[in-house]
Amino acid sequence: MGMGTSNFVIRWINFLTMLLAIAVVIFGVWMSTHHDECRKSLTLPVLGLGAFIFVISIIGFWGALKKNTILLWIYLILLCIILVAILVFTVLAFIITNNGSGHNVSGLRYKEYQLKEYSSWFLKQLNNSDNWKRLKSCLVKSEDCNNLAKQFKTLKQYKMAKLTPIEAGCCRPPSECGYPVVNASYYDLSFHPVSSNKDCKLYKNTRAVKCYNCDSCKAGVAQYMKTEWRVVAIFNLALFIVLSIIYFVGCCARRNAGQTRVFKA
C-alpha cells in the first residue's frame, strides 16, 4: 500500500470507526433502556467499549493526519489491546454459553429450564447467596410475575402463552409438581406434589415469594443471561473482524510515516 494511500485510508477508516463507536454506545444505551437492573449486566462493558474505541479512533485519525509515528504507535498498541480483549471475551462467552437449553413440556408453548445443565460459571454466580439476593430483589421489583395475571385474563390464554425463561422459571412451580392452575398468578397448593423436586415446596403464591428461591428461577435467569451474552458475543465477533482490518491498515500507515521521517532526515 502506497505511503499517501495508507494514511488517507486510515484517516477515513478511523472517521468511520468513530461512527462505529457511537453505534456501539447507542447499542449500550438501548440495552440499558430495554433491561431492568437485574438484566443489564453487559450494559456498562458495552458502553465502555464504545467510548474506548472512540478515543482510539481519534488518536489514529490525528496520527495519520499529521503522520506522527508516536501517535500511530500508541494507536496500534491500544488497538492491539482491544483486539485481544474482544477475542478473549468472545471466546469465553461462547464457551460459557455453550451449555444449557430448555425442555419442551407437553401442553405448553414455552420451555422449562434446569440449572444443573448450565456452565459452572453460571452456577457459581447464581448460587452465590449475595448475588442471588440482589437478583431476587430486582426480580420482585420488576413485577414480571404479577403482570402475568393482567396479560392473561383466562386460564386458556395463560396455557397458550409463550412465557419468557424468567417468567417460566420464577413465576410458577415446575410442571412436574402437578399443582392445578387456578389462574396466571395462583396455583392450588393443597394438592400434594407428585415430584420430589425441592422447588415444589419452595413455591408460594405470595407475590414476594413465588418461585424466586427455586433452582428453576435461577435456570431462567441463566437462560436469559446466555441469550444476552450470545448477542453481545456475535456483535463483538463482527467488531473484531472490522478492527482487525483497521489494524492492518494502521500498521501500513505507521510504517509509511516512519519512512517519511527517514526521507526528510
Side-chain angles (χ1 to χ4, degrees):
M1 188 177 289
M3 187 181 303
T5 303
S6 61
N7 283 294
F8 174 80
V9 171
I10 198 171
R11 285 199 298 268
W12 279 103
I13 283 182
N14 277 285
F15 176 75
L16 295 176
T17 307
M18 291 181 201
L19 299 180
L20 176 64
I22 293 173
V24 173
V25 171
I26 292 174
F27 178 63
V29 172
W30 177 86
M31 289 178 66
S32 67
T33 57
H34 285 73
H35 299 70
D36 56 44
E37 292 183 2
C38 311
R39 294 169 288 184
K40 57 181 183 181
S41 58
L42 296 177
T43 299
L44 289 179
V46 170
L47 289 172
L49 176 64
F52 194 37
I53 293 175
F54 186 79
V55 172
I56 291 175
S57 300
I58 292 176
I59 295 174
F61 181 85
W62 194 253
L65 182 66
K66 296 298 182 179
K67 297 180 181 179
N68 188 306
T69 306
I70 296 176
L71 284 179
L72 287 174
W73 266 115
I74 295 173
Y75 165 73
L76 290 174
I77 291 171
L78 292 176
L79 190 56
C80 182
I81 290 172
I82 201 169
L83 280 171
V84 172
I86 290 175
L87 182 61
V88 170
F89 172 83
T90 303
V91 171
L92 289 177
F94 277 112
I95 293 174
I96 290 172
T97 59
N98 188 49
N99 298 327
S101 61
H103 300 273
N104 292 314
V105 179
S106 178
L108 299 178
R109 298 184 64 190
Y110 52 86
K111 295 181 178 181
E112 292 186 339
Y113 305 88
Q114 295 184 6
L115 183 62
K116 63 183 180 180
E117 295 182 353
Y118 290 87
S119 69
S120 58
W121 187 87
F122 277 132
L123 294 178
K124 182 179 179 180
Q125 297 300 314
L126 295 173
N127 284 326
N128 181 285
S129 57
D130 292 333
N131 288 346
W132 187 246
K133 184 178 180 180
R134 178 180 56 82
L135 286 170
K136 185 171 68 172
S137 175
C138 288
L139 291 169
V140 174
K141 292 177 181 177
S142 70
E143 294 288 322
D144 285 352
C145 295
N146 297 323
N147 289 333
L148 291 179
K150 299 176 183 177
Q151 295 178 46
F152 312 110
K153 299 186 181 299
T154 66
L155 190 57
K156 183 178 180 181
Q157 288 178 335
Y158 179 54
K159 289 185 175 181
M160 295 298 292
K162 286 187 176 181
L163 301 183
T164 66
I166 290 179
E167 290 171 343
C170 304
C171 305
R172 49 181 293 283
S175 298
E176 62 184 283
C177 298
Y179 292 132
V181 186
V182 178
N183 57 47
S185 62
Y186 194 89
Y187 285 76
D188 188 349
L189 302 183
S190 63
F191 283 72
H192 190 275
V194 297
S195 171
S196 60
N197 189 334
K198 66 176 184 178
D199 287 354
C200 298
K201 294 184 178 181
L202 291 174
Y203 175 83
K204 303 296 178 184
N205 287 312
T206 309
R207 63 188 306 170
V209 180
K210 292 296 182 180
C211 214
Y212 295 129
N213 294 314
C214 302
D215 282 348
S216 62
C217 185
K218 293 179 181 179
V221 173
Q223 179 63 26
Y224 186 94
M225 293 171 67
K226 172 184 174 179
T227 303
E228 187 179 57
W229 277 58
R230 274 292 172 96
V231 170
V232 175
I234 293 171
F235 178 81
N236 279 349
L237 186 60
L239 186 62
F240 178 82
I241 295 172
V242 173
L243 291 179
S244 296
I245 296 172
I246 294 172
Y247 183 79
F248 170 76
V249 178
C251 287
C252 294
R254 186 216 58 79
R255 183 188 60 193
N256 291 335
Q259 290 176 351
T260 301
R261 293 183 65 183
V262 170
F263 292 148
K264 286 182 179 180

